[in-house]
């Protein structure tokens, strides 16, 4: 007989929101975008939530502070050039977010008179705002009773209720379980409390169950093995892609860069010219157009690996000193690379080249 998806609670009490909120009032993290016991400005809540998509809190903090110092409200961000937004975003990854951020700011500034809509349904109509982000903004900025469920919350729910069904098939069940505990009041604080619990106490490895406010309600702990949950079906390996990057210098402290197309992966960002990114490792030699062929290209011994969401990219590196007058790119001072809209992959390439050349 198949195991039940959710274990019976018997005499153990169900988790209640008040216990988590009491814990949050004492132990919740102080973050630059956070307002405890109140509602956050919708612009700030939105900005933080977009930046936090697939990115850690520590990484986001300096970017968030830089953005609000430069663009303190949605109107100023809407008036900014996309080039400036991309340059300020450089290094944060997932650059589609920066394009959507800018588009969303323009829509809110022009179509909503500078005010974000308050409901999840309306928020989800805006670029870059999916289910999770809409729920988070609705709860944190508007006090709505929204069910804010991400991987951290799924893990907490799987453990609290000892859910035997593996992820991702259990997603719906975990969402229903999260819904059962939602409070009527302090919905924004509750959402952030749950985020903090997952990030600082109910961690993937070695959860700190002895300080958990839901310790007495947790079925996983009761059966002595919190880390057993959440169960997951075997992951499949990411596909691989291959390319060659061509780093051309002119001997005057400048490097040749070009801009990527306006659509697709890393849209509109600057890049070191590369060959097409291919699935076949053996076909990465064809030099991109606009690069000089009659210079001595050196192949570096190191091959870089860079992980994107849906594939791993392996990058062979070529280096040369020479001149170039092509229209497909331009020379940039190497000292200015920090201020350019260079994605993390390109920064990795620049660092590997510098290490090889100066090492
Ligand atoms: Fe997670 Fe432990 Fe708390 Fe259960 S008691 S919810 S496993 S931290």
């Amino acid at each position: 007989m198949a195991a039940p998806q959710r274990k019976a609670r018997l005499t153990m009490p169900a988790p209640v929101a008040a216990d988590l909120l009491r814990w949050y009032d004492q132990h919740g993290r102080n973050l630059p975008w956070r307002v405890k016991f109140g509602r956050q400005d919708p612009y700030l809540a939105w900005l933080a939530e977009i930046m936090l998509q697939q990115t850690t809190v520590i990484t986001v903090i300096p970017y968030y502070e830089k953005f609000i110092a430069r663009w303190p409200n949605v109107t100023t961000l809407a008036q900014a050039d996309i080039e400036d937004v991309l340059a300020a975003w450089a290094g944060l990854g997932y650059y589609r977010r920066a394009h959507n951020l800018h588009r969303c700011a323009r829509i809110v500034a022009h179509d909503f008179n500078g005010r974000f809509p308050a409901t999840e349904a309306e928020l989800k109509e805006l670029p870059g705002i999916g289910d999770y982000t809409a729920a988070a903004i609705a709860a944190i900025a508007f006090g709505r009773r929204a069910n804010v469920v991400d991987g951290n919350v799924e893990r907490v729910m799987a453990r609290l209720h000892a859910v035997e069904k593996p992820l991702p098939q259990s997603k719906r069940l975990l969402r229903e379980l999260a819904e059962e505990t939602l409070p009527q009041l302090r919905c924004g604080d509750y959402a952030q409390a749950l985020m903090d619990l997952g990030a600082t106490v109910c961690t993937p490895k070695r959860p700190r169950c002895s300080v958990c406010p839901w310790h007495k309600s947790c079925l996983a702990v009761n059966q002595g093995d919190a880390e057993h949950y959440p169960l997951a079906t075997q992951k499949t390996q990411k596909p691989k892609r291959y390319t060659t990057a061509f780093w051309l210098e002119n001997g005057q402290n400048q490097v040749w860069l070009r801009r990527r197309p306006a659509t697709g992966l890393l849209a509109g960002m600057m890049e070191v010219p590369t060959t097409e990114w291919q699935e076949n490792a053996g076909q990465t030699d064809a030099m991109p157009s606009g690069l000089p062929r009659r210079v001595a290209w050196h192949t570096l011994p190191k091959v870089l690996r860079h992980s994107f969401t849906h594939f791993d990219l392996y990058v062979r590196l070529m280096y040369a000193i020479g001149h170039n007058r092509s229209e497909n790119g331009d020379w940039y001072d190497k000292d200015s690379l920090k201020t350019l809209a260079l994605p993390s992959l390109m920064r990795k390439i620049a660092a590997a080249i510098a290490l090889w050349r100066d090492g």
Side-chain angles (χ1 to χ4, degrees):
M1 200 170 70
Q5 296 180 356
R6 169 187 183 180
K7 293 219 169 122
R9 197 156 270 289
L10 300 177
T11 56
M12 285 185 75
V16 291
D19 290 336
L20 182 64
L21 283 164
R22 244 191 316 278
W23 169 84
Y24 175 71
D25 292 341
Q26 280 189 22
H27 304 290
R29 292 173 293 180
N30 289 315
L31 301 172
W33 49 83
R34 181 165 282 179
V35 174
K36 279 190 186 174
F37 307 107
R39 292 185 192 168
Q40 178 56 285
D41 177 292
Y43 170 70
L44 301 180
W46 164 73
L47 183 62
E49 288 303 327
I50 300 292
M51 287 184 166
L52 287 164
Q53 290 169 353
Q54 291 150 311
T55 310
T56 61
V57 164
I58 293 292
T59 306
V60 163
I61 288 174
Y63 284 88
Y64 173 83
E65 289 177 335
K66 180 168 61 176
F67 266 67
I68 59 168
R70 190 161 176 191
W71 299 298
N73 51 51
V74 75
T75 313
T76 48
L77 184 58
Q79 287 164 350
D81 280 343
I82 181 63
E83 312 295 330
D84 291 337
V85 175
L86 285 172
W89 193 276
L92 204 50
Y94 302 100
Y95 296 92
R96 187 187 297 269
R97 290 183 298 172
H99 287 277
N100 282 335
L101 189 86
H102 192 242
R103 281 175 55 217
C104 182
R106 292 198 156 180
I107 292 171
V108 172
H110 298 138
D111 300 353
F112 291 84
N113 214 12
R115 289 169 185 271
F116 277 84
T119 66
E120 285 178 76
E122 288 171 297
L123 285 162
K124 273 195 280 188
E125 295 289 311
L126 294 168
I129 300 185
D131 291 347
Y132 172 83
T133 307
I137 298 169
I140 294 168
F142 298 102
R144 300 286 169 131
R145 192 169 176 270
N147 196 10
V148 187
V149 182
D150 66 356
N152 280 340
V153 175
E154 287 175 346
R155 181 172 61 254
V156 174
M157 292 303 145
R159 288 173 176 173
L160 271 179
H161 301 280
V163 172
E164 294 295 340
K165 191 176 186 180
L167 279 166
Q169 293 88 333
S170 58
K171 275 183 176 290
R172 189 151 157 208
L173 172 62
L174 295 171
R175 170 169 282 279
E176 287 166 7
L177 291 169
E179 179 104 33
E180 287 178 9
T181 318
L182 286 181
Q184 295 295 340
L185 297 171
R186 297 192 66 193
C187 299
D189 283 346
Y190 178 79
Q192 293 176 96
L194 204 42
M195 291 173 191
D196 281 14
L197 189 77
T200 66
V201 176
C202 195
T203 45
K205 299 263 177 249
R206 291 198 225 137
R208 299 188 298 130
C209 301
S210 60
V211 298
C212 176
W214 279 339
H215 182 98
K216 290 191 177 134
S217 307
C218 184
L219 289 178
V221 152
N222 186 253
Q223 64 187 47
D225 190 5
E227 281 189 44
H228 176 69
Y229 301 96
L231 279 73
T233 40
Q234 206 79 41
K235 270 193 181 166
T236 50
Q237 253 204 341
K238 273 191 198 177
K240 294 177 180 169
R241 291 196 194 161
Y242 301 87
T243 188
T244 302
F246 294 81
W247 181 274
L248 179 67
E249 295 185 6
N250 62 5
Q252 293 162 37
N253 201 37
Q254 290 180 316
V255 59
W256 184 262
L257 301 176
R258 68 182 183 184
R259 191 171 289 281
R260 289 184 62 81
T263 55
L265 195 63
L266 308 179
M269 306 290 289
M270 303 301 298
E271 71 166 2
V272 179
T274 68
T275 55
E276 293 286 319
W277 300 3
Q278 306 196 26
E279 288 168 17
N280 183 342
Q283 293 184 6
T284 56
D285 285 337
M287 189 178 286
S289 63
L291 284 177
R293 278 145 214 282
R294 294 190 185 172
V295 297
W297 286 99
H298 301 278
T299 306
L300 271 64
K302 182 179 165 100
V303 173
L304 278 182
R305 185 174 73 88
H306 187 78
S307 213
F308 288 95
T309 319
H310 300 300
F311 63 92
D312 287 332
L313 182 68
Y314 291 80
V315 187
R316 202 156 64 99
L317 301 170
M318 308 283 280
Y319 171 90
I321 296 180
H323 297 288
N324 199 9
R325 290 211 183 107
S326 156
E327 292 184 350
N328 190 10
D330 213 338
W331 292 109
Y332 290 85
D333 281 342
K334 283 195 268 172
D335 300 335
S336 72
L337 294 188
K338 278 194 186 124
T339 61
L340 288 177
L342 269 188
S344 305
L345 165 63
M346 300 304 159
R347 292 187 189 281
K348 236 186 216 181
I349 290 173
I353 295 280
L355 193 68
W356 170 78
R357 191 191 45 215
D358 306 333

